Amino acid sequence: MAHRTVSCGHRSPRPGLPDDPRARTAAPMPSCPVEITLHALRGRWTTLVVRELLRGSHTFSELGAVLPELSDKVLAERLRQLVEVGVVRRERLPGWPTTVRYRLTERGRTLGPVLQSLWDWGAANT
Amino acid sequence: MAHRTVSCGHRSPRPGLPDDPRARTAAPMPSCPVEITLHALRGRWTTLVVRELLRGSHTFSELGAVLPELSDKVLAERLRQLVEVGVVRRERLPGWPTTVRYRLTERGRTLGPVLQSLWDWGAANT
DNA sequence: CTGAATCCCTGCCGATACTG
DNA sequence: CAGTATCGGCAGGGATTCAG
């Protein structure tokens, strides 16, 4: 995030997965659930793009209009990243000029509570 | 952030703060609660260090022993970062050679649920 | 033991220009 | 409209060495 990479392995969370080996890794591991999530959100502008998508579907130019300081290149990078991790679905619409609609997948929508959690901690610690 | 940086402004979360202006920023802002949290966790190894501290207090060398591939330089960087954001308290112990104990602050302990949330999303989307 | 100082390498991201 | 190509700056982080 910022930043750069992340790490893995985190406290035996709840009774459900106390002995998950991924919670005891000695080094950052991409298979760690915490890493997976932070990897999905990683990079400047990423959470802002997700926020806008949570508000509804958007085309490439609509996203660019709402986030004017975000360059085309980075926006394309972020959307490709989010598609790769299964958070966003890309939908090419018929007609000319070409328009593309980006929608959150169901998996993407479940990022809402995660962002809420991040918001809450930051808001409580201003 | 992983990254690198992060972004700010996220959906009107709950009835409590629907009109928070930080949820409508057009660019990444350090004052955004989501940014604050991701900034605290930013950087490779950071969440692993927090995980170890959640398991109890540790000295510099103890943390290095549990995370053998983590270099002294980066460990010192991470601890300084966590102290800066108020997540960790540094405590110099008397005696020789110098030993230092790092403890999570109360604020740091509240990162538990946040990491849990990150874990849950990643675990549900493997 | 607990760091700080240095060097270097890599990857992010911004700006610009160009294409289908 | 929706991107790709290219370049350059800069910060992150690993290895090594040195200091209090």
Side-chain angles (χ1 to χ4, degrees), chain A residues 1-5 7-9 13 17 23 25 37 42 47-48 51 55 107 110 116 118-119 121 125, chain B residues 1-5 7-9 13 17 23 25 37 42 47-48 51 55 110 116 118-119 121 125:
Chain A
M1 83 132 54
H3 73 350
R4 194 65 127 321
T5 321
S7 45
C8 166
L17 41 112
T25 59
T37 307
R42 180 159 60 183
T47 58
L48 283 182
R51 177 194 72 184
R55 291 182 172 159
R107 178 177 179 176
T110 63
Q116 180 69 59
L118 295 173
W119 175 286
W121 192 87
N125 293 281
Chain B
M1 278 216 347
H3 48 80
R4 194 66 127 323
T5 321
S7 45
C8 166
L17 41 112
T25 59
T37 307
R42 179 158 62 183
T47 59
L48 284 182
R51 177 194 72 184
R55 290 181 172 158
T110 63
Q116 180 70 59
L118 296 172
W119 175 286
W121 192 88
N125 293 282

mmCIF file of all heavy atoms in Angstrom, chain A residues 1-5 7-9 13 17 23 25 37 42 47-48 51 55 107 110 116 118-119 121 125, chain B residues 1-5 7-9 13 17 23 25 37 42 47-48 51 55 110 116 118-119 121 125:
data_model
loop_
_atom_site.group_PDB
_atom_site.id
_atom_site.type_symbol
_atom_site.label_atom_id
_atom_site.label_comp_id
_atom_site.label_asym_id
_atom_site.label_seq_id
_atom_site.Cartn_x
_atom_site.Cartn_y
_atom_site.Cartn_z
ATOM 1 N N MET A 1 0.284 -0.124 0.000
ATOM 2 C CA MET A 1 0.000 0.000 0.000
ATOM 3 C C MET A 1 0.730 0.319 0.000
ATOM 4 O O MET A 1 1.306 0.134 0.147
ATOM 5 C CB MET A 1 -0.798 -0.101 -0.117
ATOM 6 C CG MET A 1 -0.904 -0.469 0.788
ATOM 7 S SD MET A 1 -1.589 0.077 0.892
ATOM 8 C CE MET A 1 -1.964 -0.016 0.443
ATOM 9 N N ALA A 2 0.120 0.611 -0.205
ATOM 10 C CA ALA A 2 0.490 0.873 0.011
ATOM 11 C C ALA A 2 1.323 0.307 0.249
ATOM 12 O O ALA A 2 1.489 -0.267 0.008
ATOM 13 C CB ALA A 2 0.059 0.878 0.208
ATOM 14 N N HIS A 3 2.786 0.553 0.575
ATOM 15 C CA HIS A 3 3.033 0.055 0.795
ATOM 16 C C HIS A 3 3.385 -0.755 0.061
ATOM 17 O O HIS A 3 3.047 -0.642 -0.936
ATOM 18 C CB HIS A 3 2.431 0.087 0.842
ATOM 19 C CG HIS A 3 1.636 0.081 0.602
ATOM 20 N ND1 HIS A 3 1.011 0.077 0.166
ATOM 21 C CD2 HIS A 3 0.960 -0.087 0.195
ATOM 22 C CE1 HIS A 3 0.566 0.123 -0.070
ATOM 23 N NE2 HIS A 3 0.487 0.052 -0.072
ATOM 24 N N ARG A 4 4.418 -2.109 0.875
ATOM 25 C CA ARG A 4 4.542 -2.854 -0.343
ATOM 26 C C ARG A 4 3.800 -4.149 -0.218
ATOM 27 O O ARG A 4 2.609 -4.243 -0.391
ATOM 28 C CB ARG A 4 6.029 -3.136 -0.586
ATOM 29 C CG ARG A 4 6.237 -3.614 -1.992
ATOM 30 C CD ARG A 4 5.899 -2.524 -3.010
ATOM 31 N NE ARG A 4 6.965 -2.285 -3.952
ATOM 32 C CZ ARG A 4 8.233 -2.275 -3.659
ATOM 33 N NH1 ARG A 4 8.617 -2.512 -2.433
ATOM 34 N NH2 ARG A 4 9.124 -2.039 -4.563
ATOM 35 N N THR A 5 4.492 -5.185 0.083
ATOM 36 C CA THR A 5 3.800 -6.457 0.188
ATOM 37 C C THR A 5 3.128 -6.572 1.545
ATOM 38 O O THR A 5 2.977 -5.617 2.260
ATOM 39 C CB THR A 5 4.809 -7.615 0.053
ATOM 40 O OG1 THR A 5 5.739 -7.251 -0.926
ATOM 41 C CG2 THR A 5 4.089 -8.874 -0.339
ATOM 42 N N SER A 7 2.039 -9.657 4.803
ATOM 43 C CA SER A 7 2.563 -10.857 5.425
ATOM 44 C C SER A 7 1.436 -11.830 5.685
ATOM 45 O O SER A 7 0.319 -11.628 5.289
ATOM 46 C CB SER A 7 3.263 -10.494 6.717
ATOM 47 O OG SER A 7 2.473 -9.592 7.429
ATOM 48 N N CYS A 8 1.753 -12.897 6.360
ATOM 49 C CA CYS A 8 0.766 -13.961 6.496
ATOM 50 C C CYS A 8 0.832 -14.608 7.852
ATOM 51 O O CYS A 8 1.784 -14.510 8.583
ATOM 52 C CB CYS A 8 1.005 -14.999 5.426
ATOM 53 S SG CYS A 8 0.140 -16.523 5.707
ATOM 54 N N GLY A 9 -0.228 -15.337 8.164
ATOM 55 C CA GLY A 9 -0.238 -16.113 9.387
ATOM 56 C C GLY A 9 -0.696 -15.257 10.534
ATOM 57 O O GLY A 9 0.011 -14.375 10.970
ATOM 58 N N PRO A 13 -7.723 -17.504 15.066
ATOM 59 C CA PRO A 13 -8.792 -16.519 15.116
ATOM 60 C C PRO A 13 -9.926 -16.918 16.038
ATOM 61 O O PRO A 13 -10.106 -16.371 17.098
ATOM 62 C CB PRO A 13 -9.263 -16.445 13.675
ATOM 63 C CG PRO A 13 -8.134 -17.008 12.870
ATOM 64 C CD PRO A 13 -7.563 -18.068 13.759
ATOM 65 N N LEU A 17 -10.858 -22.134 13.441
ATOM 66 C CA LEU A 17 -9.602 -22.415 12.743
ATOM 67 C C LEU A 17 -8.393 -22.044 13.571
ATOM 68 O O LEU A 17 -7.548 -21.285 13.166
ATOM 69 C CB LEU A 17 -9.565 -21.671 11.397
ATOM 70 C CG LEU A 17 -10.083 -20.232 11.352
ATOM 71 C CD1 LEU A 17 -8.956 -19.270 11.095
ATOM 72 C CD2 LEU A 17 -11.125 -20.083 10.281
ATOM 73 N N ALA A 23 -1.653 -19.704 10.023
ATOM 74 C CA ALA A 23 -1.602 -18.711 11.093
ATOM 75 C C ALA A 23 -0.278 -18.765 11.855
ATOM 76 O O ALA A 23 -0.091 -18.047 12.831
ATOM 77 C CB ALA A 23 -2.756 -18.917 12.066
ATOM 78 N N THR A 25 2.918 -19.130 10.033
ATOM 79 C CA THR A 25 4.029 -19.061 9.099
ATOM 80 C C THR A 25 5.123 -18.143 9.627
ATOM 81 O O THR A 25 4.858 -17.188 10.346
ATOM 82 C CB THR A 25 3.565 -18.522 7.743
ATOM 83 O OG1 THR A 25 3.018 -17.228 7.929
ATOM 84 C CG2 THR A 25 2.539 -19.445 7.115
ATOM 85 N N THR A 37 -6.296 -11.072 1.136
ATOM 86 C CA THR A 37 -7.161 -9.896 1.183
ATOM 87 C C THR A 37 -6.376 -8.620 0.921
ATOM 88 O O THR A 37 -6.786 -7.779 0.121
ATOM 89 C CB THR A 37 -7.854 -9.805 2.553
ATOM 90 O OG1 THR A 37 -8.496 -11.042 2.831
ATOM 91 C CG2 THR A 37 -8.879 -8.689 2.557
ATOM 92 N N ARG A 42 -4.449 -4.164 -2.599
ATOM 93 C CA ARG A 42 -3.173 -3.475 -2.647
ATOM 94 C C ARG A 42 -3.077 -2.475 -3.787
ATOM 95 O O ARG A 42 -3.600 -2.695 -4.868
ATOM 96 C CB ARG A 42 -2.029 -4.479 -2.785
ATOM 97 C CG ARG A 42 -0.674 -3.791 -2.845
ATOM 98 C CD ARG A 42 0.440 -4.704 -2.486
ATOM 99 N NE ARG A 42 0.553 -5.872 -3.343
ATOM 100 C CZ ARG A 42 1.422 -6.829 -3.166
ATOM 101 N NH1 ARG A 42 2.252 -6.766 -2.156
ATOM 102 N NH2 ARG A 42 1.466 -7.855 -3.975
ATOM 103 N N THR A 47 -8.810 0.906 -3.191
ATOM 104 C CA THR A 47 -10.020 0.921 -2.357
ATOM 105 C C THR A 47 -11.009 1.977 -2.839
ATOM 106 O O THR A 47 -12.223 1.806 -2.692
ATOM 107 C CB THR A 47 -9.670 1.173 -0.882
ATOM 108 O OG1 THR A 47 -8.969 2.404 -0.752
ATOM 109 C CG2 THR A 47 -8.822 0.027 -0.342
ATOM 110 N N LEU A 48 -10.486 3.043 -3.427
ATOM 111 C CA LEU A 48 -11.406 4.048 -3.961
ATOM 112 C C LEU A 48 -12.189 3.501 -5.142
ATOM 113 O O LEU A 48 -13.380 3.770 -5.304
ATOM 114 C CB LEU A 48 -10.637 5.305 -4.375
ATOM 115 C CG LEU A 48 -10.203 6.208 -3.221
ATOM 116 C CD1 LEU A 48 -9.499 7.447 -3.746
ATOM 117 C CD2 LEU A 48 -11.407 6.608 -2.395
ATOM 118 N N ARG A 51 -14.785 1.287 -3.775
ATOM 119 C CA ARG A 51 -15.858 2.110 -3.205
ATOM 120 C C ARG A 51 -16.840 2.561 -4.276
ATOM 121 O O ARG A 51 -18.059 2.425 -4.121
ATOM 122 C CB ARG A 51 -15.260 3.348 -2.533
ATOM 123 C CG ARG A 51 -16.300 4.290 -1.968
ATOM 124 C CD ARG A 51 -15.713 5.655 -1.609
ATOM 125 N NE ARG A 51 -15.386 6.440 -2.796
ATOM 126 C CZ ARG A 51 -14.795 7.640 -2.767
ATOM 127 N NH1 ARG A 51 -14.445 8.156 -1.606
ATOM 128 N NH2 ARG A 51 -14.545 8.300 -3.870
ATOM 129 N N ARG A 55 -20.969 1.467 -5.119
ATOM 130 C CA ARG A 55 -22.098 2.377 -5.282
ATOM 131 C C ARG A 55 -22.905 2.064 -6.529
ATOM 132 O O ARG A 55 -23.932 2.687 -6.778
ATOM 133 C CB ARG A 55 -21.593 3.817 -5.334
ATOM 134 C CG ARG A 55 -21.056 4.272 -3.987
ATOM 135 C CD ARG A 55 -20.602 5.714 -4.046
ATOM 136 N NE ARG A 55 -20.275 6.187 -2.696
ATOM 137 C CZ ARG A 55 -19.485 7.224 -2.440
ATOM 138 N NH1 ARG A 55 -18.952 7.888 -3.431
ATOM 139 N NH2 ARG A 55 -19.240 7.575 -1.204
ATOM 140 N N ARG A 107 -18.412 -12.026 -4.757
ATOM 141 C CA ARG A 107 -17.218 -11.982 -3.917
ATOM 142 C C ARG A 107 -16.769 -10.551 -3.657
ATOM 143 O O ARG A 107 -16.350 -10.194 -2.555
ATOM 144 C CB ARG A 107 -16.106 -12.759 -4.631
ATOM 145 C CG ARG A 107 -14.799 -12.757 -3.918
ATOM 146 C CD ARG A 107 -13.802 -13.612 -4.689
ATOM 147 N NE ARG A 107 -12.506 -13.637 -4.048
ATOM 148 C CZ ARG A 107 -11.492 -14.359 -4.455
ATOM 149 N NH1 ARG A 107 -11.637 -15.141 -5.507
ATOM 150 N NH2 ARG A 107 -10.337 -14.335 -3.824
ATOM 151 N N THR A 110 -18.712 -8.774 -1.003
ATOM 152 C CA THR A 110 -18.398 -9.139 0.381
ATOM 153 C C THR A 110 -17.199 -8.367 0.922
ATOM 154 O O THR A 110 -16.834 -8.526 2.087
ATOM 155 C CB THR A 110 -18.104 -10.645 0.497
ATOM 156 O OG1 THR A 110 -16.952 -10.968 -0.283
ATOM 157 C CG2 THR A 110 -19.282 -11.472 0.018
ATOM 158 N N GLN A 116 -15.505 -1.851 5.884
ATOM 159 C CA GLN A 116 -16.132 -1.300 7.082
ATOM 160 C C GLN A 116 -15.240 -1.484 8.300
ATOM 161 O O GLN A 116 -15.076 -0.571 9.111
ATOM 162 C CB GLN A 116 -17.478 -1.981 7.314
ATOM 163 C CG GLN A 116 -18.216 -1.479 8.534
ATOM 164 C CD GLN A 116 -18.700 -0.061 8.331
ATOM 165 O OE1 GLN A 116 -19.450 0.206 7.408
ATOM 166 N NE2 GLN A 116 -18.241 0.864 9.172
ATOM 167 N N LEU A 118 -11.997 -1.853 8.314
ATOM 168 C CA LEU A 118 -10.849 -0.964 8.195
ATOM 169 C C LEU A 118 -11.252 0.474 8.532
ATOM 170 O O LEU A 118 -10.522 1.199 9.216
ATOM 171 C CB LEU A 118 -10.291 -1.021 6.768
ATOM 172 C CG LEU A 118 -9.714 -2.379 6.346
ATOM 173 C CD1 LEU A 118 -9.351 -2.369 4.867
ATOM 174 C CD2 LEU A 118 -8.498 -2.741 7.191
ATOM 175 N N TRP A 119 -12.419 0.869 8.068
ATOM 176 C CA TRP A 119 -12.917 2.206 8.359
ATOM 177 C C TRP A 119 -13.083 2.404 9.867
ATOM 178 O O TRP A 119 -12.650 3.403 10.439
ATOM 179 C CB TRP A 119 -14.260 2.443 7.647
ATOM 180 C CG TRP A 119 -14.896 3.740 7.999
ATOM 181 C CD1 TRP A 119 -15.521 4.072 9.179
ATOM 182 C CD2 TRP A 119 -14.931 4.926 7.195
ATOM 183 N NE1 TRP A 119 -15.960 5.367 9.138
ATOM 184 C CE2 TRP A 119 -15.619 5.916 7.926
ATOM 185 C CE3 TRP A 119 -14.471 5.231 5.908
ATOM 186 C CZ2 TRP A 119 -15.848 7.194 7.424
ATOM 187 C CZ3 TRP A 119 -14.706 6.510 5.409
ATOM 188 C CH2 TRP A 119 -15.375 7.467 6.164
ATOM 189 N N TRP A 121 -11.715 0.932 12.471
ATOM 190 C CA TRP A 121 -10.495 1.064 13.261
ATOM 191 C C TRP A 121 -9.862 2.431 13.043
ATOM 192 O O TRP A 121 -9.454 3.097 13.987
ATOM 193 C CB TRP A 121 -9.496 -0.048 12.902
ATOM 194 C CG TRP A 121 -8.357 -0.140 13.875
ATOM 195 C CD1 TRP A 121 -8.320 -0.855 15.032
ATOM 196 C CD2 TRP A 121 -7.087 0.541 13.783
ATOM 197 N NE1 TRP A 121 -7.107 -0.674 15.666
ATOM 198 C CE2 TRP A 121 -6.339 0.177 14.925
ATOM 199 C CE3 TRP A 121 -6.518 1.410 12.853
ATOM 200 C CZ2 TRP A 121 -5.044 0.652 15.154
ATOM 201 C CZ3 TRP A 121 -5.236 1.896 13.083
ATOM 202 C CH2 TRP A 121 -4.515 1.511 14.222
ATOM 203 N N ASN A 125 -9.463 5.708 15.786
ATOM 204 C CA ASN A 125 -8.102 6.014 16.194
ATOM 205 C C ASN A 125 -7.551 7.225 15.456
ATOM 206 O O ASN A 125 -6.430 7.221 14.967
ATOM 207 C CB ASN A 125 -7.198 4.802 15.930
ATOM 208 C CG ASN A 125 -7.550 3.646 16.830
ATOM 209 O OD1 ASN A 125 -7.178 3.626 17.986
ATOM 210 N ND2 ASN A 125 -8.284 2.681 16.298
ATOM 211 N N MET B 1 1.214 -1.569 -0.014
ATOM 212 C CA MET B 1 0.910 -1.506 0.044
ATOM 213 C C MET B 1 1.355 -1.786 -0.419
ATOM 214 O O MET B 1 1.794 -1.419 -0.748
ATOM 215 C CB MET B 1 0.068 -1.062 0.261
ATOM 216 C CG MET B 1 -0.290 -0.856 0.765
ATOM 217 S SD MET B 1 -1.300 -0.725 1.163
ATOM 218 C CE MET B 1 -1.840 -0.788 0.717
ATOM 219 N N ALA B 2 1.530 -3.580 -0.219
ATOM 220 C CA ALA B 2 1.589 -3.691 -0.518
ATOM 221 C C ALA B 2 1.436 -3.114 -1.280
ATOM 222 O O ALA B 2 1.522 -2.697 -1.559
ATOM 223 C CB ALA B 2 1.416 -4.447 -0.383
ATOM 224 N N HIS B 3 1.972 -2.520 -1.961
ATOM 225 C CA HIS B 3 1.846 -2.054 -2.059
ATOM 226 C C HIS B 3 2.173 -0.951 -1.909
ATOM 227 O O HIS B 3 2.841 -0.880 -1.147
ATOM 228 C CB HIS B 3 1.664 -2.248 -1.571
ATOM 229 C CG HIS B 3 2.025 -2.657 -0.956
ATOM 230 N ND1 HIS B 3 2.410 -2.639 -0.411
ATOM 231 C CD2 HIS B 3 2.486 -2.902 -0.576
ATOM 232 C CE1 HIS B 3 2.716 -3.065 0.047
ATOM 233 N NE2 HIS B 3 2.954 -2.923 -0.076
ATOM 234 N N ARG B 4 1.292 -0.165 -2.808
ATOM 235 C CA ARG B 4 2.032 0.920 -2.242
ATOM 236 C C ARG B 4 1.142 1.652 -1.275
ATOM 237 O O ARG B 4 0.908 1.198 -0.181
ATOM 238 C CB ARG B 4 2.445 1.859 -3.370
ATOM 239 C CG ARG B 4 3.476 2.800 -2.886
ATOM 240 C CD ARG B 4 4.788 2.125 -2.536
ATOM 241 N NE ARG B 4 5.906 2.714 -3.197
ATOM 242 C CZ ARG B 4 5.893 3.184 -4.438
ATOM 243 N NH1 ARG B 4 4.810 3.142 -5.151
ATOM 244 N NH2 ARG B 4 6.949 3.676 -4.973
ATOM 245 N N THR B 5 0.643 2.716 -1.718
ATOM 246 C CA THR B 5 -0.212 3.478 -0.827
ATOM 247 C C THR B 5 -1.616 2.883 -0.862
ATOM 248 O O THR B 5 -1.832 1.805 -1.348
ATOM 249 C CB THR B 5 -0.289 4.934 -1.290
ATOM 250 O OG1 THR B 5 0.999 5.308 -1.733
ATOM 251 C CG2 THR B 5 -0.728 5.813 -0.169
ATOM 252 N N SER B 7 -6.021 4.166 -0.505
ATOM 253 C CA SER B 7 -6.888 5.259 -0.877
ATOM 254 C C SER B 7 -7.868 5.541 0.233
ATOM 255 O O SER B 7 -7.804 4.973 1.308
ATOM 256 C CB SER B 7 -7.629 4.913 -2.148
ATOM 257 O OG SER B 7 -8.113 3.609 -2.070
ATOM 258 N N CYS B 8 -8.792 6.400 -0.029
ATOM 259 C CA CYS B 8 -9.641 6.889 1.047
ATOM 260 C C CYS B 8 -11.072 7.072 0.592
ATOM 261 O O CYS B 8 -11.384 7.130 -0.570
ATOM 262 C CB CYS B 8 -9.111 8.219 1.547
ATOM 263 S SG CYS B 8 -10.262 9.085 2.579
ATOM 264 N N GLY B 9 -11.935 7.184 1.567
ATOM 265 C CA GLY B 9 -13.315 7.502 1.286
ATOM 266 C C GLY B 9 -14.075 6.247 0.932
ATOM 267 O O GLY B 9 -13.874 5.656 -0.107
ATOM 268 N N PRO B 13 -21.035 3.880 5.606
ATOM 269 C CA PRO B 13 -21.001 2.540 6.186
ATOM 270 C C PRO B 13 -22.290 2.166 6.871
ATOM 271 O O PRO B 13 -23.005 1.293 6.433
ATOM 272 C CB PRO B 13 -19.862 2.629 7.191
ATOM 273 C CG PRO B 13 -19.067 3.830 6.763
ATOM 274 C CD PRO B 13 -20.082 4.770 6.212
ATOM 275 N N LEU B 17 -22.495 7.048 10.210
ATOM 276 C CA LEU B 17 -21.626 8.007 9.526
ATOM 277 C C LEU B 17 -21.820 7.978 8.021
ATOM 278 O O LEU B 17 -20.893 7.801 7.254
ATOM 279 C CB LEU B 17 -20.163 7.733 9.870
ATOM 280 C CG LEU B 17 -19.695 6.281 9.928
ATOM 281 C CD1 LEU B 17 -18.740 5.974 8.794
ATOM 282 C CD2 LEU B 17 -19.021 6.001 11.243
ATOM 283 N N ALA B 23 -15.749 9.803 3.187
ATOM 284 C CA ALA B 23 -16.242 8.675 2.406
ATOM 285 C C ALA B 23 -16.528 9.071 0.966
ATOM 286 O O ALA B 23 -17.015 8.268 0.182
ATOM 287 C CB ALA B 23 -17.499 8.100 3.046
ATOM 288 N N THR B 25 -14.201 11.235 -0.885
ATOM 289 C CA THR B 25 -13.028 11.898 -1.458
ATOM 290 C C THR B 25 -12.783 11.416 -2.885
ATOM 291 O O THR B 25 -13.074 10.278 -3.233
ATOM 292 C CB THR B 25 -11.779 11.619 -0.626
ATOM 293 O OG1 THR B 25 -11.576 10.206 -0.592
ATOM 294 C CG2 THR B 25 -11.932 12.142 0.780
ATOM 295 N N THR B 37 -5.882 2.896 8.603
ATOM 296 C CA THR B 37 -5.682 1.507 9.010
ATOM 297 C C THR B 37 -4.698 0.806 8.089
ATOM 298 O O THR B 37 -3.771 0.125 8.543
ATOM 299 C CB THR B 37 -7.023 0.763 8.995
ATOM 300 O OG1 THR B 37 -7.967 1.484 9.772
ATOM 301 C CG2 THR B 37 -6.855 -0.653 9.537
ATOM 302 N N ARG B 42 0.764 -1.276 6.717
ATOM 303 C CA ARG B 42 1.471 -1.310 5.446
ATOM 304 C C ARG B 42 2.889 -1.837 5.558
ATOM 305 O O ARG B 42 3.582 -1.609 6.530
ATOM 306 C CB ARG B 42 1.525 0.090 4.831
ATOM 307 C CG ARG B 42 2.290 0.092 3.503
ATOM 308 C CD ARG B 42 1.924 1.257 2.664
ATOM 309 N NE ARG B 42 2.260 2.526 3.283
ATOM 310 C CZ ARG B 42 1.985 3.695 2.747
ATOM 311 N NH1 ARG B 42 1.352 3.765 1.607
ATOM 312 N NH2 ARG B 42 2.324 4.800 3.363
ATOM 313 N N THR B 47 2.126 -7.303 9.275
ATOM 314 C CA THR B 47 1.062 -8.062 9.955
ATOM 315 C C THR B 47 1.632 -9.252 10.720
ATOM 316 O O THR B 47 1.079 -9.658 11.739
ATOM 317 C CB THR B 47 -0.007 -8.540 8.953
ATOM 318 O OG1 THR B 47 0.606 -9.361 7.955
ATOM 319 C CG2 THR B 47 -0.693 -7.349 8.307
ATOM 320 N N LEU B 48 2.738 -9.792 10.225
ATOM 321 C CA LEU B 48 3.353 -10.899 10.966
ATOM 322 C C LEU B 48 3.921 -10.422 12.291
ATOM 323 O O LEU B 48 3.822 -11.124 13.303
ATOM 324 C CB LEU B 48 4.457 -11.547 10.123
ATOM 325 C CG LEU B 48 3.977 -12.459 9.003
ATOM 326 C CD1 LEU B 48 5.146 -13.082 8.278
ATOM 327 C CD2 LEU B 48 3.070 -13.547 9.564
ATOM 328 N N ARG B 51 1.051 -9.993 14.569
ATOM 329 C CA ARG B 51 0.596 -11.305 15.022
ATOM 330 C C ARG B 51 1.426 -11.813 16.187
ATOM 331 O O ARG B 51 0.878 -12.269 17.205
ATOM 332 C CB ARG B 51 0.704 -12.317 13.868
ATOM 333 C CG ARG B 51 0.320 -13.721 14.252
ATOM 334 C CD ARG B 51 0.763 -14.748 13.218
ATOM 335 N NE ARG B 51 2.205 -14.955 13.240
ATOM 336 C CZ ARG B 51 2.857 -15.751 12.389
ATOM 337 N NH1 ARG B 51 2.200 -16.370 11.437
ATOM 338 N NH2 ARG B 51 4.156 -15.901 12.470
ATOM 339 N N ARG B 55 0.485 -12.354 20.405
ATOM 340 C CA ARG B 55 0.697 -13.558 21.199
ATOM 341 C C ARG B 55 1.417 -13.271 22.507
ATOM 342 O O ARG B 55 1.636 -14.164 23.317
ATOM 343 C CB ARG B 55 1.491 -14.578 20.379
ATOM 344 C CG ARG B 55 0.674 -15.157 19.235
ATOM 345 C CD ARG B 55 1.467 -16.164 18.456
ATOM 346 N NE ARG B 55 0.602 -16.837 17.478
ATOM 347 C CZ ARG B 55 1.049 -17.447 16.385
ATOM 348 N NH1 ARG B 55 2.331 -17.485 16.135
ATOM 349 N NH2 ARG B 55 0.205 -18.021 15.570
ATOM 350 N N THR B 110 -6.709 -3.707 19.545
ATOM 351 C CA THR B 110 -7.960 -3.637 18.777
ATOM 352 C C THR B 110 -7.749 -3.956 17.301
ATOM 353 O O THR B 110 -8.708 -4.001 16.528
ATOM 354 C CB THR B 110 -8.610 -2.247 18.895
ATOM 355 O OG1 THR B 110 -7.739 -1.269 18.326
ATOM 356 C CG2 THR B 110 -8.883 -1.897 20.340
ATOM 357 N N GLN B 116 -8.800 -10.266 11.896
ATOM 358 C CA GLN B 116 -9.778 -11.341 11.764
ATOM 359 C C GLN B 116 -10.637 -11.150 10.524
ATOM 360 O O GLN B 116 -10.910 -12.084 9.768
ATOM 361 C CB GLN B 116 -10.665 -11.375 13.009
ATOM 362 C CG GLN B 116 -11.714 -12.466 12.971
ATOM 363 C CD GLN B 116 -11.069 -13.825 13.097
ATOM 364 O OE1 GLN B 116 -10.399 -14.101 14.070
ATOM 365 N NE2 GLN B 116 -11.251 -14.673 12.091
ATOM 366 N N LEU B 118 -9.856 -9.470 7.840
ATOM 367 C CA LEU B 118 -9.031 -9.723 6.653
ATOM 368 C C LEU B 118 -8.841 -11.220 6.453
ATOM 369 O O LEU B 118 -8.894 -11.734 5.329
ATOM 370 C CB LEU B 118 -7.672 -9.029 6.805
ATOM 371 C CG LEU B 118 -7.706 -7.497 6.868
ATOM 372 C CD1 LEU B 118 -6.333 -6.940 7.205
ATOM 373 C CD2 LEU B 118 -8.211 -6.915 5.556
ATOM 374 N N TRP B 119 -8.624 -11.930 7.537
ATOM 375 C CA TRP B 119 -8.466 -13.379 7.461
ATOM 376 C C TRP B 119 -9.725 -14.029 6.900
ATOM 377 O O TRP B 119 -9.664 -14.886 6.013
ATOM 378 C CB TRP B 119 -8.137 -13.942 8.851
ATOM 379 C CG TRP B 119 -8.072 -15.430 8.894
ATOM 380 C CD1 TRP B 119 -9.128 -16.301 8.850
ATOM 381 C CD2 TRP B 119 -6.895 -16.235 8.951
ATOM 382 N NE1 TRP B 119 -8.682 -17.588 8.891
ATOM 383 C CE2 TRP B 119 -7.314 -17.590 8.954
ATOM 384 C CE3 TRP B 119 -5.534 -15.960 9.027
ATOM 385 C CZ2 TRP B 119 -6.405 -18.646 9.011
ATOM 386 C CZ3 TRP B 119 -4.632 -17.012 9.089
ATOM 387 C CH2 TRP B 119 -5.075 -18.334 9.072
ATOM 388 N N TRP B 121 -12.178 -12.912 5.037
ATOM 389 C CA TRP B 121 -12.435 -12.720 3.609
ATOM 390 C C TRP B 121 -11.478 -13.570 2.769
ATOM 391 O O TRP B 121 -11.904 -14.251 1.838
ATOM 392 C CB TRP B 121 -12.305 -11.246 3.220
ATOM 393 C CG TRP B 121 -12.836 -10.960 1.850
ATOM 394 C CD1 TRP B 121 -14.120 -10.649 1.527
ATOM 395 C CD2 TRP B 121 -12.108 -10.980 0.607
ATOM 396 N NE1 TRP B 121 -14.233 -10.467 0.170
ATOM 397 C CE2 TRP B 121 -13.018 -10.657 -0.419
ATOM 398 C CE3 TRP B 121 -10.775 -11.226 0.279
ATOM 399 C CZ2 TRP B 121 -12.637 -10.579 -1.766
ATOM 400 C CZ3 TRP B 121 -10.392 -11.153 -1.057
ATOM 401 C CH2 TRP B 121 -11.319 -10.835 -2.067
ATOM 402 N N ASN B 125 -12.337 -17.005 0.350
ATOM 403 C CA ASN B 125 -12.161 -16.811 -1.088
ATOM 404 C C ASN B 125 -10.857 -17.431 -1.570
ATOM 405 O O ASN B 125 -10.128 -16.839 -2.356
ATOM 406 C CB ASN B 125 -12.175 -15.322 -1.416
ATOM 407 C CG ASN B 125 -13.543 -14.719 -1.172
ATOM 408 O OD1 ASN B 125 -14.449 -14.890 -1.979
ATOM 409 N ND2 ASN B 125 -13.701 -14.031 -0.046
#
